[in-house]
Structures are given as structure tokens and as C-alpha cells.
Amino acid sequence: MRLSARIKCFRYLVYAYIVLISICGGAQLVIGAFLLWTHRQYSGLVNNQFWEPFGLIIALGLVSQLLCYLGWTSTSKKHRCYLGTFCAFLVALIVVQFLISGWAVAAKHQLITPAELAIESSFHQFISTDGASTDKTHIWNRLQRDYQCCGYSSIHDYSNRKRDIPTSCFDSINNKLYSVGCMHLLVKGMEGNMIRVAIVAIVAALIQSLGIFCVIQLVMLLKKPKMQLPNGDSRLHSMRKMRPREMVPLSTTATSSSSGIILPTTASSTMATAPMGTFGHSSTSGTMAKPPIAQKPVVPKIEHPIIKH
């Protein structure tokens, strides 16, 4: 397969890969926003904590969309440097998502105690406030109605503190009281959301790592072609046209066939062709040529041997 055909093939593969990354990033945005919205409904019970994993999922979705724009632009322009940058950022994003997945699993076990303490403090504040149990819009009444639970740990939390059981603890359909405590259900729901964050992060990382080979291959194919010289040296082939060098004539006399003008000759060539002792007027310039300067002959110095008697 020719080089241009291979580049075209891998370009379409990279386009499909970028579309897949964009879909994955959009799914991260939707899932992260839904989990954050669910958590924000009852985040006041835990002092507005433990929202960071959901925010990270949304941020990863936004970063994925930005990388898709960079990758699409680089592929359409066949810009090798930008494609390499896109590949490097994509590898970094995949590594970060694996790390976030592990962090979410670890945070699942660490949030139990702080969440339980925050929920208990919020419940004590609820039952100590006059008129809070009759307020249907209060967060604890909404929690007991939505989760079908009653009290912090059980329904006895109201009777032990000599408080009336709120109407949100009644099941109007089955005409019975909810007996399960809200703390266990709320903490269990938060742990489930942490597991969902870990699953979303690791699935996105696996999907985004499927086509990274195509990007690397396209970067390698977009290298500048090399020209093999006869002596075996391999140099980069320059597409620019080299300017022709001005050649110096080697002959002693050169004439222009078109204009009839005789080009000047050098003094050395004139002296080489002229006979010794005769220097006339130059036929080309009309000036007297200077005779060469005679050099003194070098007489070797002979040392006489000394004869000893």
C-alpha cells in the first residue's frame, strides 16, 4: 500500500476514534451531572461534603471534549506536532482516570465515619427545632419520605427523645410506619455513588485507550520523507528548489556567441600562452601587459670538508 493511501486510511480511523472519545466524554458529563444533582439534594445532611468525585467526572468529560477538538483539527490539517500533543494529553487523561477510579474506591471506605457523624448532628438539630417536624419542606422530612425511612437509626429515635413522630414517617398507601433508619440508607447510597464514579472512570479509560495505536501510527506516517544518496547517506529531502550555482569557466578565453563580446582573460593565462620575452599589447583590453619579475637563482652552499692531518 502506498504511503498516501496508508495515511488516508489511518486518518479515517483516527476520526472514528475521536468520535468515540467524544461520545464517552458526553456520557461522563451526563452521568457526573446526574450523580452531583442527586447528591446535592441531601448534601446538607453531610455538611456539603463528598461531592468531589462527581465534580471530577464532569471535569474529565469537559477535558475529553477539548481533546476531541484538538485531535480533529490536528488530523484534518495533518499537523504532526499537534497530533503528538493530542496523543500525549490523551495518555495523561487515561492515567488520571485510572487513578480517580482507585481513589473513588478508597474514598468509599473512608466516608462512612465522617458521614455518620454529620448525619447524626443534623438529626439532633432537626428534632431540637420547634416546628421542624411539621415542615414538609424540611430536608429530613423529604429524606424520610423519599427513602421511606424514619429517624436516624430507627423509629425509636423520636420516642426515646419524647418527640412526636412526623407524618413523613407514615406510609399513606400501606398505612404503616417506616421502621428503617435513614442513616444507613443514605450512607449506602453515597457508597453506591462512589462505586459508580469508579466504574465510569475505568470504563472511560479503557474505551479511550482502544484507538491510541492509530494516533501513534498516523504520527509516524506523517514524518518527512527521506532521500537515499548513492553513498548510502540518508538525508532529509528538501522540497525547496535549489538555486543553480554560477559556474566559473575553466577555459582561458570565453566568448559570448550571442553578443560577440570577448570576455577578459586572466593575467596568468595570458602569460602562460605568450612566448618568453615578448609581451605586446593585449588584444582584449588594449593595455600593456607587465613582464614577469625574474627571480634570483638559488645557489646551493657547498661546505668543503675539513681534512685532519
Side-chain angles (χ1 to χ4, degrees):
M1 185 183 293
R2 293 183 303 175
L3 181 61
S4 59
R6 292 175 61 189
I7 292 177
K8 185 177 181 180
C9 177
F10 276 100
R11 278 185 66 193
Y12 286 123
L13 289 176
V14 172
Y15 281 142
Y17 175 52
I18 292 173
V19 171
L20 183 63
I21 295 176
S22 179
I23 295 174
C24 184
Q28 285 180 312
L29 286 173
V30 173
I31 296 174
F34 175 75
L35 292 177
L36 182 61
W37 175 77
T38 304
H39 177 75
R40 290 290 296 176
Q41 287 185 335
Y42 304 106
S43 61
L45 299 176
V46 291
N47 298 327
N48 296 320
Q49 297 177 348
F50 314 115
W51 58 269
E52 292 86 358
F54 317 122
L56 285 176
I57 291 295
I58 296 175
L60 290 175
L62 293 175
V63 172
S64 299
Q65 299 299 328
L66 293 176
L67 283 180
C68 288
Y69 173 75
L70 175 62
W72 191 279
T73 306
S74 305
T75 306
S76 60
K77 294 183 178 180
K78 297 181 182 179
H79 204 296
R80 184 169 176 263
C81 181
Y82 288 167
L83 273 175
T85 305
F86 166 69
C87 186
F89 279 124
L90 190 59
V91 171
L93 178 64
I94 293 172
V95 173
V96 168
Q97 289 183 129
F98 277 113
L99 294 177
I100 289 177
S101 176
W103 172 71
V105 174
K108 167 183 172 292
H109 302 285
Q110 297 177 359
L111 65 85
I112 297 177
T113 302
E116 289 178 352
L117 294 176
I119 294 171
E120 184 179 5
S121 176
S122 176
F123 180 74
H124 290 328
Q125 185 179 1
F126 167 66
I127 61 176
S128 61
T129 304
D130 296 334
S133 59
T134 58
D135 185 7
K136 295 182 179 181
T137 61
H138 196 276
I139 188 172
W140 267 99
N141 287 325
R142 290 190 290 108
L143 176 67
Q144 293 176 146
R145 185 169 52 251
D146 295 340
Y147 278 76
Q148 297 182 357
C149 58
C150 188
Y152 171 74
S153 58
S154 66
I155 194 174
H156 301 290
D157 294 332
Y158 292 101
S159 59
N160 293 337
R161 291 172 175 82
K162 298 180 180 181
R163 293 287 180 176
D164 295 334
I165 299 175
T167 56
S168 57
C169 289
F170 286 95
D171 186 0
S172 58
I173 299 177
N174 299 322
N175 294 323
K176 66 177 183 179
L177 290 172
Y178 302 128
S179 58
V180 182
C182 295
M183 185 270 297
H184 302 289
L185 295 178
L186 186 59
V187 172
K188 187 177 180 180
M190 294 175 62
E191 290 178 347
N193 288 338
M194 291 294 181
I195 295 297
R196 293 183 185 95
V197 168
I199 293 175
V200 169
I202 197 169
V203 169
L206 292 175
I207 292 176
Q208 292 172 356
S209 60
L210 291 177
I212 197 169
F213 167 76
C214 298
V215 182
I216 297 175
Q217 188 67 22
L218 182 59
V219 172
M220 296 176 63
L221 290 175
L222 290 177
K223 288 183 178 179
K224 293 182 179 180
K226 292 185 177 181
M227 180 178 62
Q228 191 74 20
L229 299 180
N231 58 355
D233 189 13
S234 179
R235 297 180 180 178
L236 291 176
H237 177 66
S238 178
M239 303 303 294
R240 296 179 300 178
K241 294 183 179 180
M242 301 297 294
R243 293 183 179 179
R245 295 183 178 179
E246 184 178 356
M247 304 300 294
V248 179
L250 299 178
S251 60
T252 57
T253 58
T255 58
S256 175
S257 59
S258 60
S259 59
I261 300 175
I262 301 175
L263 298 177
T265 59
T266 59
S268 60
S269 61
T270 305
M271 289 187 294
T273 55
M276 293 296 294
T278 59
F279 294 94
H281 293 281
S282 175
S283 60
T284 58
S285 61
T287 58
M288 181 67 70
K290 295 181 179 180
I293 300 174
Q295 297 181 356
K296 295 181 179 181
V298 179
V299 180
K301 184 178 180 181
I302 301 175
E303 295 181 358
H304 298 282
I306 301 174
I307 301 174
K308 295 181 180 181
H309 298 283

